[in-house]
Amino acid sequence: MQTHEFIRKLIVDPSYEVSETEALALAGVGTEALLPLLEAAQIRRRERQGDSVFLCSIVNAKSGKCSQDCAFCAQSASHETGVDIYPLMDEETLVERGLAMARAGATRFGIVTSGHSLNDAEIDRVCRVVERLRKETDLTLCGSLGMLDAKRGERLRSSGLGRYHHNLETSRSHFDAICTTHTYDEDIETVQLAAELGFGVCSGGILGMGESWAQRVELALTLKGLNADTLPINFLTPVAGTRMANRPLMPALDALKSVALFRIIAPEKRITVCGGREVTLRDFQSWLFSAGADGLMVGNYLTTAGRSLEDDMKMVADAGLSVGEV
């Protein structure tokens, strides 16, 4: 069956599960097949998620001096980027950041920290923040706190943290070109442990870091097989001083095709588009929902600024969608 005929099959039968070979064929289609591919992805999104989208927000709660050497990261101690460096924010500041995002309309709020992992005192502070925000808001509370062990994970879970976020960043076959200070299996172990402890789990990656289309499919298939229910997709924003500083931005239509591929490969997952969407997609941002995304990160990111929440809320409304947990 030719690829164009296969895409028509996906439109007619949204329950069809694609194989690795079929996914690789879809990854090879050109712009002439992009609209039918997006249609197949959007049908799958509506089948599974309806007309609701969720909005994530984060706070960069601890910044800089990370011991890991990830090639893209402005916070790595291996890079000279001029990024702000500060220890874990105090409890009151973190609570106020969460309250502000709840007032603005976010449905999820993530506390994100740099570094390999947090120590016990830092974990205790995060837990106190979570306990207070649970009482004062309806936010789904998330942590992106590095590598996890059972003891600290259980403490976070008992505080009411609902979700744990830990990206794989890229495919296994491309990982050594991105990071050499920990292994791919360590990341997978943290994702699996979080799921075993009862967290909802977010795990995704960054696209546009020199990986091939086959490696994008590889990452999507790996994530499909993990116990992560939400797949965050980021697009590289090159930062001066990092090893990725001179990489070109991913073309906007390639970014849309990537989101559609992830949706078609893993239709049962939630897909949220996070960092880099403003600079990569530009005027195509509103196409993300047609490409299969059902979540957006809003507000500022870790070391780069997002666009106004009002603009994103208007974009969601203009698409005929509502905001809520899906």
Side-chain angles (χ1 to χ4, degrees):
M1 184 186 300
Q2 291 187 348
T3 305
H4 287 213
E5 293 177 7
F6 179 59
I7 294 174
R8 285 195 289 273
K9 174 181 174 63
L10 295 177
I11 293 170
V12 172
D13 183 6
S15 66
Y16 185 87
E17 187 167 333
V18 301
S19 67
E20 179 177 2
T21 299
E22 291 165 337
L24 288 169
L26 292 175
V29 302
T31 54
E32 76 285 350
L34 180 60
L35 288 178
L37 189 69
L38 297 186
E39 183 179 358
Q42 182 174 201
I43 288 170
R44 279 160 173 72
R45 186 189 70 75
R46 290 188 181 277
E47 283 274 318
R48 302 298 180 112
Q49 315 297 354
D51 290 326
S52 183
V53 298
F54 60 93
L55 301 181
C56 300
S57 60
I58 60 172
V59 57
N60 187 9
K62 179 184 178 183
S63 180
K65 288 190 175 180
C66 181
S67 62
Q68 305 305 291
D69 69 350
C70 300
F72 57 84
C73 187
Q75 300 193 69
S76 171
S78 301
H79 300 143
E80 293 288 341
T81 62
V83 70
D84 290 339
I85 297 173
Y86 50 83
L88 183 64
M89 289 177 173
D90 65 79
E91 183 178 332
E92 294 301 324
T93 298
L94 288 171
V95 169
E96 181 50 43
R97 294 291 182 90
L99 293 174
M101 293 312 300
R103 291 191 294 267
T107 53
R108 297 183 182 183
F109 177 67
I111 298 171
V112 184
T113 58
S114 67
H116 181 272
S117 57
L118 296 186
N119 61 38
D120 288 340
E122 291 170 326
I123 291 288
D124 287 342
R125 186 181 304 175
V126 170
C127 288
R128 291 193 299 271
V129 171
V130 169
E131 288 162 357
R132 289 178 60 182
L133 287 174
R134 281 193 71 208
K135 292 177 182 177
E136 298 182 47
T137 75
D138 293 324
L139 289 167
T140 296
L141 299 171
C142 318
S144 183
L145 311 171
M147 300 296 181
L148 199 60
D149 62 32
K151 178 183 174 183
R152 291 170 182 168
E154 288 167 357
R155 173 77 181 93
L156 289 164
R157 191 75 185 100
S158 66
S159 75
L161 192 75
R163 305 190 63 80
Y164 202 81
H165 169 270
H166 192 80
N167 277 349
L168 301 186
E169 306 302 7
T170 192
S171 65
R172 182 184 291 274
S173 66
H174 191 53
F175 187 75
D176 287 348
I178 303 301
C179 181
T180 66
T181 45
H182 66 267
T183 68
Y184 204 68
D185 285 331
E186 287 179 83
D187 286 327
I188 288 179
E189 287 165 8
T190 284
V191 171
Q192 298 292 57
L193 175 60
E196 290 167 11
L197 291 171
F199 290 103
V201 181
C202 301
S203 185
I206 303 173
L207 304 182
M209 297 195 296
E211 74 283 348
S212 65
W213 279 105
Q215 287 169 327
R216 291 169 191 161
V217 169
E218 180 189 347
L219 174 60
L221 289 169
T222 299
L223 292 168
K224 177 181 174 64
L226 290 181
N227 290 323
D229 57 49
T230 302
L231 312 185
I233 297 176
N234 302 270
F235 305 109
L236 178 70
T237 300
V239 176
T242 67
R243 300 200 305 281
M244 292 280 171
N246 296 318
R247 282 217 60 82
L249 290 175
M250 191 176 191
L253 296 185
D254 283 357
L256 289 174
K257 186 169 86 167
S258 297
V259 174
L261 277 174
F262 274 68
R263 168 56 69 208
I264 290 168
I265 291 169
E268 72 282 4
K269 309 286 189 178
R270 301 181 183 100
I271 294 179
T272 178
V273 178
C274 303
R277 64 180 168 91
E278 295 88 355
V279 295
T280 296
L281 288 161
R282 300 180 300 281
D283 291 342
F284 283 97
Q285 283 188 77
S286 62
W287 287 47
L288 282 170
F289 309 117
S290 297
D294 46 30
L296 294 177
M297 182 170 286
V298 296
N300 292 333
Y301 306 114
L302 292 178
T303 60
T304 56
R307 70 176 189 167
S308 76
L309 182 59
E310 292 77 13
D311 285 345
D312 282 335
M313 296 291 277
K314 187 175 187 302
M315 181 174 71
V316 170
D318 288 345
L321 302 171
S322 61
V323 175
E325 273 296 306
V326 294

